Amino acid sequence: MNESQQLDEIITCRINDSRKIVEPCTMIIFGASGDLTSRKLIPALYHLYTEKALPKPFRIVGFARREKSDQQWRDELKIAVEQFSRTQPIDSNVWTEFAANICYTRGDLSEASAYQALEQRLNSFGDERLRLNLLCYLATSPSQFGEVVEHLHNAGLLTRDDQQKFWQRIVVEKPFGHDLATAEQLNSDLTRFAHEKQVFRIDHYLGKETVQNILMFRFSNAIFEQLWNRQSIDHVQITVSEKLGVGERGGYYEEAGAIRDMVQNHLLQVLSLVAMEPPVSLDAEPIRDEKVKLLKSIRPLGVADVAKQVVRGQYFAGMIDGKPRPGYRQETKVKNGSDVETFVAMKLLIDNWRWSGVPFFLRTGKSLPLSASEVRVQFKPTPHVLFAEKCGGKLDANAITLRLQPNEGIYLRFNGKVPGTSLSVRPVRMHFSYNSEFGAYTPEAYERLLLEAMAGDATLFIRRDEVETAWGIVDSIRKGWENKPLTNREFYSAGTWGPVAADDLIAQSAHEWRNPQPAS
Ligand code: BG6
């Protein structure tokens, strides 16, 4: 390699090459016949297997109520993987090799004898690492977490991890509770027989490459981090829009609404990464400490604040991509006249030294014109002299948009002179695209999350105090909505960017929503 080639070589700093060790272990999936297993977990594990990322040896045990043999379950999973895997086509030989590690145990979650049978199954593997290193994935209803954990403990399958040679971990999915009180109850159920550090709460947004990149972007680039504060930033908009309606999930959604389904977890997670202080190290606890600190600095919302700072919405029938879409109240399993929100927009203020006075606008909704998640950081305008003065309100302030999905990338918007003899200024964009920089890569959050849980790295999982703080915020918003039916200004037609009330909300701060743009 000559000198100029050396200079051109892109330096990649591999941060955790020496850190992650995934020991041989067994992953037990409780509630294995559910959708999550066939759509997400097994396709993710299969992909990891093809990449040789799984430990050797490794086993997957499905635990559910229906009677079936190992082979029957493997056959069902093969069909699912053929449909849902991102590694297409499925190589039959590789599948057969992989499937040899999968087995099934029939059992009722509430029967002690089922856990004894499970224990025998694990023993039959004949390797103490496969019997004692256990990743217990609770793909069950949260109301069963407490009893599963207790049975696991009684059967000797879960012991507190006090620096022992082997480990057992519990992975849980959302919804993690229904409000703060139920989340606290779940947390105490889970930690009766395990330490908090053995509990891995998933928020699949944290497994997304672009969400992880928020910290890299902020803390490995001096030029941006120096501007990341109240002196330079005017306001921040976080949008997670979805084109899909509620569809078949009406039953679940009636209980959740957008605030529990999206805000309590995904939006507040993105906000905490965008706004947190630098952690003292890249280990799990310092990062999670800073996220909790940030959530705790959000100015509490009393009932009167909710009326001013939070807007709900619900879609009625409309058109998306030229096709008619039903209203929320016409979706399956939705109650007549339901007031459940399918859209939320809010203005949050963060009372700390860095962000005092900078509004953060968050919004999410279903049946919107486009599916896109992005963070737009809007900088303060230039002083009203020179170009700003000449252009009146037409000179746009700078903005950085972190496009989380799809068309993952980062845009920097600034003003440039339009070529020619006249003096015209207009916004132009600098664009970093993941696809053009790194090639077409569609990372699947579950692959990363499962591997991290097996490696025992909790950075991408939600800690107890984090989930509880987020529920505290959501509970105060829901309190503000109590006994208040939706008003006309809170309905929106499917295929539009939410209700008029959301535009009013941001207009009160003299701003406007910047809607994500489709791929160009
Ligand atoms: C889930 C919600 O957690 O996230 C769904 O329950 C939502 O309602 C989904 O559609 C969005 O995830 P993604 O990865 O498609 O942005």
Side-chain angles (χ1 to χ4, degrees):
M1 196 184 285
N2 65 32
E3 204 178 317
S4 76
Q5 277 171 325
Q6 270 175 12
L7 285 178
D8 282 348
E9 195 191 356
I10 298 170
I11 305 165
T12 307
C13 161
R14 298 190 197 282
I15 295 166
N16 57 12
D17 262 5
S18 56
R19 202 159 61 97
K20 300 278 166 65
I21 299 168
V22 184
E23 292 163 342
C25 60
T26 299
M27 174 167 163
I28 311 169
I29 308 174
F30 293 90
S33 29
D35 238 24
L36 182 73
T37 310
S38 44
R39 281 177 178 267
K40 295 287 181 190
L41 302 182
I42 300 292
L45 291 165
Y46 172 73
H47 184 82
L48 290 171
Y49 185 82
T50 62
E51 295 216 310
K52 303 196 180 356
L54 289 178
K56 274 191 183 154
F58 175 72
R59 295 281 188 283
I60 301 165
V61 179
F63 183 104
R65 240 189 329 215
R66 276 176 234 158
E67 189 67 62
K68 62 183 102 164
S69 66
D70 290 346
Q71 194 51 46
Q72 275 170 326
W73 197 45
R74 289 174 192 158
D75 293 344
E76 281 172 25
L77 294 177
K78 184 165 188 221
I79 296 170
V81 167
E82 277 163 354
Q83 190 179 351
F84 299 116
S85 175
R86 71 184 178 96
T87 334
Q88 295 291 353
I90 304 302
D91 179 326
S92 252
N93 294 332
V94 177
W95 169 262
T96 311
E97 259 176 44
F98 169 69
N101 300 300
I102 301 181
C103 57
Y104 182 83
T105 299
R106 198 209 80 81
D108 191 317
L109 290 174
S110 56
E111 278 172 15
S113 57
Y115 296 80
Q116 281 147 15
L118 176 62
E119 202 254 347
Q120 283 162 14
R121 191 82 207 240
L122 297 174
N123 270 325
S124 74
F125 298 151
D127 182 324
E128 64 171 359
R129 296 166 305 174
L130 296 176
R131 156 67 184 83
L132 292 168
N133 286 339
L134 303 177
L135 191 70
C136 300
Y137 203 108
L138 309 194
T140 67
S141 144
S143 60
Q144 292 169 308
F145 289 172
E147 105 182 292
V148 176
V149 164
E150 183 166 0
H151 281 304
L152 282 171
H153 171 78
N154 292 342
L157 296 172
L158 174 63
T159 45
R160 280 184 194 275
D161 181 355
D162 289 311
Q163 310 297 320
Q164 292 154 356
K165 195 166 151 211
F166 298 104
W167 50 262
Q168 291 98 47
R169 301 184 186 123
I170 303 191
V171 184
V172 292
E173 280 281 336
K174 72 180 250 281
F176 195 82
H178 197 66
D179 52 19
L180 177 57
T182 48
E184 282 173 341
Q185 183 60 50
L186 285 179
N187 279 329
S188 59
D189 289 348
L190 286 171
T191 50
R192 261 172 78 208
F193 300 105
H195 286 303
E196 165 63 24
K197 65 177 183 195
Q198 292 170 263
V199 180
F200 289 68
R201 297 176 194 78
I202 287 198
D203 180 320
H204 79 277
Y205 264 58
L206 294 185
K208 291 183 193 275
E209 201 67 51
T210 45
V211 173
Q212 287 169 30
N213 190 42
I214 296 174
L215 289 193
M216 300 274 176
F217 175 76
R218 287 191 51 199
F219 300 130
S220 66
N221 293 299
I223 49 172
F224 302 119
E225 187 50 22
Q226 291 189 16
L227 301 175
W228 217 253
N229 53 46
R230 60 191 294 272
Q231 275 78 37
S232 310
I233 292 179
D234 184 80
H235 73 280
V236 177
Q237 296 186 16
I238 301 178
T239 301
V240 176
S241 64
E242 294 187 275
K243 209 171 181 177
L244 281 178
V246 167
E248 298 301 308
R249 298 170 77 216
Y252 155 76
Y253 209 81
E254 277 286 278
E255 295 300 315
I259 191 98
R260 291 187 176 103
D261 187 46
M262 298 294 289
V263 177
Q264 190 275 339
N265 32 69
H266 311 324
L267 271 90
L268 289 178
Q269 283 299 320
V270 172
L271 168 66
S272 62
L273 292 170
V274 168
M276 67 187 245
E277 291 300 313
V280 294
S281 80
L282 290 176
D283 292 335
E285 296 320 323
I287 292 181
R288 300 198 295 178
D289 287 345
E290 293 305 333
K291 284 165 68 194
V292 174
K293 234 168 77 189
L294 188 280
L295 291 175
K296 288 191 168 156
S297 336
I298 294 176
R299 187 179 298 172
L301 296 167
V303 171
D305 305 312
V306 172
K308 281 190 252 145
Q309 287 173 232
V310 188
V311 162
R312 290 173 289 176
Q314 188 190 88
Y315 60 88
F316 57 85
M319 302 282 280
I320 299 184
D321 293 340
K323 296 201 182 97
R325 294 282 287 264
Y328 176 68
R329 290 176 179 181
Q330 285 90 55
E331 304 275 19
T332 337
K333 296 197 190 141
V334 170
K335 288 185 210 92
N336 271 341
S338 167
D339 267 336
V340 167
E341 77 289 348
T342 60
F343 177 98
V344 183
M346 64 183 75
K347 169 179 160 184
L348 295 178
L349 291 163
I350 297 173
D351 286 331
N352 67 14
W353 194 259
R354 185 188 287 263
W355 295 117
S356 179
V358 178
F360 282 73
F361 296 99
L362 277 57
R363 69 179 162 157
T364 182
K366 298 231 183 254
S367 288
L368 300 185
L370 193 72
S371 288
S373 303
E374 62 182 43
V375 177
R376 184 186 164 100
V377 177
Q378 175 89 32
F379 290 91
K380 291 196 165 155
T382 49
H384 208 69
V385 292
L386 301 181
F387 300 109
E389 191 181 34
K390 295 257 182 320
C391 295
K394 290 199 186 114
L395 193 61
D396 221 359
N398 300 143
I400 289 181
T401 303
L402 309 181
R403 175 82 163 203
L404 306 179
Q405 65 183 25
N407 317 116
E408 293 79 1
I410 297 176
Y411 307 100
L412 174 63
R413 188 181 163 106
F414 55 96
N415 294 306
K417 180 184 176 305
V418 179
T421 47
S422 74
L423 190 58
S424 311
V425 189
R426 80 161 171 80
V428 292
R429 291 208 294 187
M430 251 160 53
H431 183 191
F432 148 65
S433 141
Y434 277 78
N435 268 358
S436 22
E437 187 71 28
F438 298 117
Y441 170 59
T442 37
E444 170 49 57
Y446 276 89
E447 289 161 20
R448 166 63 66 88
L449 294 172
L450 291 175
L451 216 46
E452 297 286 310
M454 284 179 221
D457 188 331
T459 313
L460 302 180
F461 298 84
I462 317 289
R463 204 167 62 185
R464 176 181 191 148
D465 47 355
E466 211 172 338
V467 85
E468 291 179 0
T469 310
W471 272 121
I473 298 166
V474 162
D475 281 3
S476 58
I477 295 175
R478 287 182 40 252
K479 192 154 191 284
W481 292 344
E482 256 168 31
N483 305 322
K484 292 198 183 106
L486 291 171
T487 63
N488 282 344
R489 296 179 72 71
E490 289 168 322
F491 286 93
Y492 61 100
S493 162
T496 62
W497 282 102
V500 183
D503 299 332
D504 299 346
L505 168 80
I506 196 164
Q508 279 162 19
S509 306
H511 298 304
E512 58 185 25
W513 295 110
R514 300 299 184 110
N515 296 329
Q517 297 300 308
S520 46

